[in-house]
Amino acid sequence: MPDLISLQTRMADALLHGRFAALGDQIVAGPVAAQEALGLHRNTVLCALSNALRLTFPTAEALVGEAFFDQAALAFVAVHPPARACLTGYGADFPAFLETYAPATDIPYLVDVARLDAVVEEVGALSVGADGGVIDLGQMLLTLDASIRLLDLTYPAAAIRDAIETGDDAALGAVDLAPGRYRRVLWRVPAGAAIRPLGPAAFAFLAALLDGAAPDTALKAALAEGADLIALQTEIFAAPFARLTMSPTLETDR
Amino acid sequence: MTLHSFIANASSDAVSRGARPIPAEAGIGLRLPHHAVVRQTAPAAAWFEVHPENYMTPGLADELAGVAERYPLSLHAVGLSLGSACGIDADYLSRLKALERRVRPGLVSDHLSWSAASLPTGPLHLPDLLPLPYTEEALAVVAANVDRVQDALGRQILIENPSTYLRFAGSVLGEAQFLAALTRATGCGVLLDINNIEVAVMNQGGDPARALADYLDLIPAAAIGEIHLAGHAVCPLDSGRAVRVDDHGSRVCPEVWALYETAIRRLGPRPTLIEWDTALPAFDVLQEEAAAAQFILDLAAMDRAPVPEAAHA
C-alpha cells in the first residue's frame, strides 16, 4: 500500500477527473464494487460544487436553464477545483470563465448577469449596517457602509435579475439587451443586497473614494464625468449607504 | 492524565469561557432555510447544531450569534479534513477558532475522514468526507491533526465515525479500534453516528448490530459525547446491487432507531442530534423526529433513576 500522502493525492486526482483505474487494487471488493463506490464519491463532489455555484449564480442558472448551467459548472470545476474547505466565495472566477466558455458566446449578457450574481452573494454575506471608511470633507464627515460594492456593466443585468426574481416574463422579454454602460452600487440590507443605479459622476466619485482617493481627487473624477452637486447630494450623500455628520472639530467650535 | 480527567477538564474549560453545555437531550441540526422560523418563533428545541462552514462570513456569523444567545449550540465541522496527510488548513482553523470564540458552542466536532490533498497543481479540497485506510500511519496523521485542532481551540473535539462505501486493502485496524486508539492518543471524544454504522456496514457487508457492539465494547462510554441520527437512501446501482447513501434526506429508519435504543440503554442518555440536510422538510417534522429520540432518552433516564426506598409505615 502506498503511503497516505501518495494514496490521497492519487485518490483526489482520480475523483476530480474520473480516472478510477489507478485505485482499483487499493480497495477491497464488497457488496458495492470499487468503481461504483468511487463513482459515488465523484458524484458527491461534483454535485456539491455544482450546487455551490447554483446558489451563488441563481440568475445565471435561471437564464440558461439547469442543463446548460450544469455543463458550464462541471467544465469550470474541472479547471478551477476548490483549494479551500470553505466554499464561500467559490466561483469568484466563474464569470471570467464564462467569457471564454464557447457554448455561452451566443449569450453575451450572461457574463454580466453572473458578475452581478457574484457581487449580490458577496454583499449578502457581509454584516448589516457596518461602518466602513470615514471621509473628512472639511465641515462634514462622510461615513460609507462597509458593504458597498460597485459594478460597471455592459448589459442590463439588474433588470434581468429583477424580472427573473419576480417571475415576470413580460418584463424579461421587454429588457433592452443592447450593450451600454450600466453602473450600479450594491450594499447590505437586512433582506440581502440592495442594488441602485448610479450616474456617471456619482459612480466616479464613489469609486475614487473607495479606492482611497482624497475627497478633492474624487470630486475631480466626478467633475470629469460632468458632475453637479445636486446629483452627488441625491445619489451619494443622501443615499442609505452613506451618512453625513458634522465634523467634531466644527461642533467643538460651536 | 487519564481520558476521563482530560474530557472533564476540556469540557470545564469550554464552559468556563461561557459555553452553554449541550444537554443529554435530543437536538436538531439547524440549516439556513430554517433560520427565519427560529428567529421569528423561537421554537422548542433542546439545542441546535450547525456546520460552521456556513457561518464563516460576517453576516451569517451575526445570525448564528443570535441563535447562540437563545439555544445551546454545537459546531459540527465538515472542513477540518482531520485525515489529510498534508495537514490542517491554517486559514480554515483560524476561521473556525474565531467562530468558536464568538458563539461559544457546547461541543465542537468533525469527522474521521479527509477532504484535502496536495496535488502538483496546488492544494485541492474536495467537498466530501472521504474514507481513510485504517493503518498505524493514518492513526498517527489523524492524531497529529486532532492535537493541532485541540491545541488551537483549547478544548476537546469529538470525532464522528464516517459513512463509507468502500474499504482499503491496506487497513489493519477496525474502525472502532482506530477511534478507540485515537481517543487514547489525543483525549478527543467520539461522536457516534448510528446511521453511519448502518450505512457503512450494509455497504461493506456485515451486521450493524455487531458493529455497534464493537464500538460500545472498545470505546469508553465516557468518551462518547454525542450521537447522530439521520435518514439514508437505498439506491439501485447499474450493477443491479443497491447502495445505502447517507443523504440525510428522510426520517430515521426503524433499523437505526433499534440500534439507537441499544446504544442508549448501554450508554445512558447522550446529546442526540437529528440531522436532515437534503429535501429539507418543515421545521416541525424535525421536532417530531427529535421527540421520538427524546422518548428513548427519557426511558433510559428512568431506567437509570435510583429506585426510591419503600416508605416506612
Side-chain angles (χ1 to χ4, degrees):
Chain A
M1 178 154 192
D3 62 11
L4 189 61
I5 200 158
S6 305
L7 177 71
Q8 291 179 338
T9 302
R10 280 165 60 182
M11 188 162 170
D13 186 65
L15 293 177
L16 189 60
H17 300 293
R19 297 190 286 254
F20 301 154
L23 287 169
D25 58 336
Q26 305 300 330
I27 296 167
V28 178
V32 181
Q35 303 290 309
E36 291 170 329
L38 292 168
L40 287 164
H41 280 299
R42 175 167 159 80
N43 190 49
T44 300
V45 167
L46 296 182
C47 283
L49 294 176
S50 293
N51 282 335
L53 293 172
R54 185 173 287 113
L55 289 172
T56 300
F57 300 97
T59 320
E61 189 206 5
L63 200 59
V64 298
E66 189 178 337
F68 185 102
F69 186 86
D70 277 348
Q71 287 301 313
L74 292 178
F76 174 77
V77 165
V79 289
H80 295 280
R84 299 280 181 204
C86 188
L87 288 179
T88 304
Y90 178 63
D93 300 332
F94 189 56
F97 169 82
L98 289 174
E99 285 187 67
T100 58
Y101 182 59
T105 50
D106 291 344
I107 319 167
Y109 44 88
L110 181 61
V111 173
D112 275 359
V113 167
R115 288 175 66 198
L116 179 62
D117 276 346
V119 177
V120 167
E121 175 75 6
E122 179 191 348
V123 169
L126 300 173
S127 292
V128 178
D131 284 345
V134 178
I135 297 136
D136 188 350
L137 301 178
Q139 296 184 344
M140 307 291 282
L141 297 178
L142 174 65
T143 305
L144 295 173
D145 194 287
S147 66
I148 291 175
R149 300 290 185 274
L150 297 175
L151 270 177
D152 189 358
L153 303 171
T154 305
Y155 291 95
I160 293 170
R161 185 181 168 95
D162 283 348
I164 286 175
E165 270 191 337
T166 55
D168 189 341
D169 290 343
L172 185 60
V175 173
D176 180 0
L177 294 173
R181 288 287 294 274
Y182 297 88
R183 301 171 181 88
R184 295 290 180 271
V185 57
L186 295 88
W187 74 99
R188 180 75 156 96
V189 292
I195 308 173
R196 260 192 196 186
L198 284 181
F203 188 92
F205 182 74
L206 198 50
L209 290 181
L210 293 176
D211 275 350
D216 287 350
T217 309
L219 187 58
K220 278 182 193 160
L223 289 170
E225 295 285 349
D228 63 74
L229 289 176
I230 293 172
L232 289 185
Q233 166 68 18
T234 309
E235 295 184 66
I236 306 286
F237 300 132
F241 53 77
R243 195 172 70 247
L244 268 183
T245 50
M246 196 168 287
S247 169
T249 52
L250 203 64
E251 283 185 334
T252 307
D253 291 346
R254 286 169 58 180
Chain B
M1 178 181 280
T2 66
L3 175 65
H4 283 71
S5 62
F6 179 91
I7 290 172
N9 288 342
S11 301
S12 64
D13 282 353
V15 170
S16 70
R17 290 202 309 268
R20 294 172 71 174
I22 302 297
E25 297 174 24
I28 291 173
L30 177 61
R31 304 296 176 250
L32 293 172
H34 285 149
H35 269 277
V37 174
V38 171
R39 195 185 324 112
Q40 290 158 14
T41 69
W47 54 285
F48 284 126
E49 183 166 281
V50 299
H51 297 310
E53 295 77 13
N54 293 336
Y55 302 90
M56 289 180 171
T57 58
L60 287 165
D62 294 345
E63 176 81 27
L64 188 61
V67 174
E69 283 174 11
R70 292 189 288 172
Y71 298 89
L73 188 69
S74 164
L75 294 183
H76 183 50
V78 295
L80 279 168
S81 192
L82 293 168
S84 279
C86 59
I88 298 289
D89 178 341
D91 174 63
Y92 174 87
L93 182 55
S94 93
R95 286 170 176 235
L96 180 64
K97 183 176 176 179
L99 190 66
E100 192 268 349
R101 291 294 186 266
R102 177 152 188 211
V103 302
R104 292 174 296 190
L107 292 170
V108 177
S109 55
D110 204 320
H111 301 77
L112 181 61
S113 63
W114 66 279
S115 308
S118 183
L119 267 54
T121 49
L124 173 67
H125 193 103
L126 298 172
D128 194 5
L129 302 167
L130 299 168
L132 279 165
Y134 294 137
T135 62
E136 294 294 343
E137 184 205 3
L139 180 59
V141 164
V142 180
N145 288 337
V146 169
D147 279 342
R148 181 163 177 213
V149 173
Q150 293 189 142
D151 287 348
L153 298 181
R155 64 184 296 164
Q156 182 202 38
I157 62 172
L158 306 181
I159 311 300
E160 178 182 329
N161 57 299
S163 64
T164 49
Y165 309 120
L166 58 83
R167 204 153 44 91
F168 287 98
S171 287
V172 293
L173 301 168
E175 190 170 277
Q177 201 182 359
F178 190 98
L179 270 169
L182 188 64
T183 63
R184 286 193 296 274
T186 67
C188 72
V190 170
L191 192 172
L192 190 61
D193 190 314
I194 305 282
N195 180 57
N196 285 358
I197 292 176
E198 173 78 11
V199 166
V201 173
M202 293 304 288
N203 282 340
Q204 290 167 32
D207 175 8
R210 180 63 250 161
L212 174 65
D214 275 352
Y215 269 97
L216 300 178
D217 288 344
L218 293 171
I219 297 171
I224 299 177
E226 183 184 345
I227 291 182
H228 273 183
L229 297 172
H232 64 263
V234 181
C235 303
L237 293 167
D238 291 342
S239 61
R241 290 172 287 216
V243 62
R244 280 165 171 74
V245 177
D246 183 30
D247 66 349
H248 298 179
S250 55
R251 289 182 185 267
V252 178
C253 71
E255 293 84 354
V256 171
W257 280 123
L259 292 172
Y260 175 60
E261 254 188 285
T262 303
I264 289 298
R265 269 204 305 271
R266 179 127 170 224
L267 294 169
R270 286 288 188 282
T272 299
L273 185 82
I274 298 297
E275 282 190 299
W276 204 314
D277 288 287
T278 58
L280 198 64
F283 189 80
D284 56 5
V285 174
L286 303 184
Q287 287 178 304
E288 287 170 17
E289 291 286 272
Q294 189 61 51
F295 179 71
I296 293 169
L297 288 167
D298 290 344
L299 286 180
M302 279 193 289
D303 285 349
R304 286 170 176 253
V307 179
E309 287 182 24
H312 293 287

